[in-house]
Amino acid sequence: MILGIGTDLANIDRIQRVLDRHGDRFRNRVFTPIEQAKAARRKDEAGTYAKRWAAKEACSKALGTGLAMGIAWKDMAVSNLGTGQPVMALTGWAADRLAEMTPPGHEAIVHVTLTDDHPWAQAFVVIEARPL
């Protein structure tokens, strides 16, 4: 069963301007060390951050809270499997909210997909509950 769906669209040029203005202060506030390492290895650092920004926004929407209700940016982290498939890991308040939403006898699976076509980066997050 579907527990939540979220989407977000981020402007890569806007993220670049934030990086230019705030640099590490922005990176360290919003992104985990793993996300920062991924972006540092990429030619399009701003595009990589914009996709992850969109994924965090989409995830907060799928959790039914948005970012205003206590979820920290770094409570939602995007990494990639060896195949390149993005995955979302939740910690802290986001993980607590996910556990609260998940019906007894089920496990929650967070699906995430990312795309970009300059100047846009987009993410979709679907939270699924599967019977154990």
Side-chain angles (χ1 to χ4, degrees):
M1 95 182 61
I2 302 298
L3 298 179
I5 300 171
T7 185
D8 193 66
L9 184 67
N11 185 287
I12 296 168
D13 294 332
R14 177 175 164 255
I15 296 296
Q16 182 63 63
R17 287 191 301 274
V18 173
L19 286 166
D20 292 344
R21 184 169 182 193
H22 299 288
D24 285 342
R25 195 170 114 213
F26 171 67
R27 287 179 188 90
N28 294 331
R29 181 176 158 254
V30 176
F31 302 101
T32 66
I34 291 171
E35 291 171 316
Q36 290 181 46
K38 174 84 170 182
R41 291 190 307 267
R42 292 291 183 87
K43 180 180 176 187
D44 183 14
E45 179 187 30
T48 300
Y49 281 130
K51 286 185 279 191
R52 278 146 184 78
W53 173 279
K56 291 168 188 266
E57 288 273 9
C59 185
S60 73
K61 293 170 186 175
L63 289 168
T65 63
L67 285 158
M69 295 182 67
I71 295 178
W73 285 103
K74 291 197 271 187
D75 285 348
M76 302 165 287
V78 178
S79 61
N80 295 84
L81 300 177
T83 60
Q85 176 185 347
V87 292
M88 176 79 70
L90 304 181
T91 58
W93 197 91
D96 294 344
R97 173 68 180 141
L98 182 62
E100 183 182 291
M101 302 171 55
T102 306
H106 289 74
E107 66 174 335
I109 311 294
V110 180
H111 304 277
V112 61
T113 187
L114 309 171
T115 191
D116 64 283
D117 186 7
H118 196 88
W120 301 108
Q122 186 173 31
F124 287 93
V125 171
V126 176
I127 300 175
E128 172 190 13
R130 284 190 193 158
L132 292 172

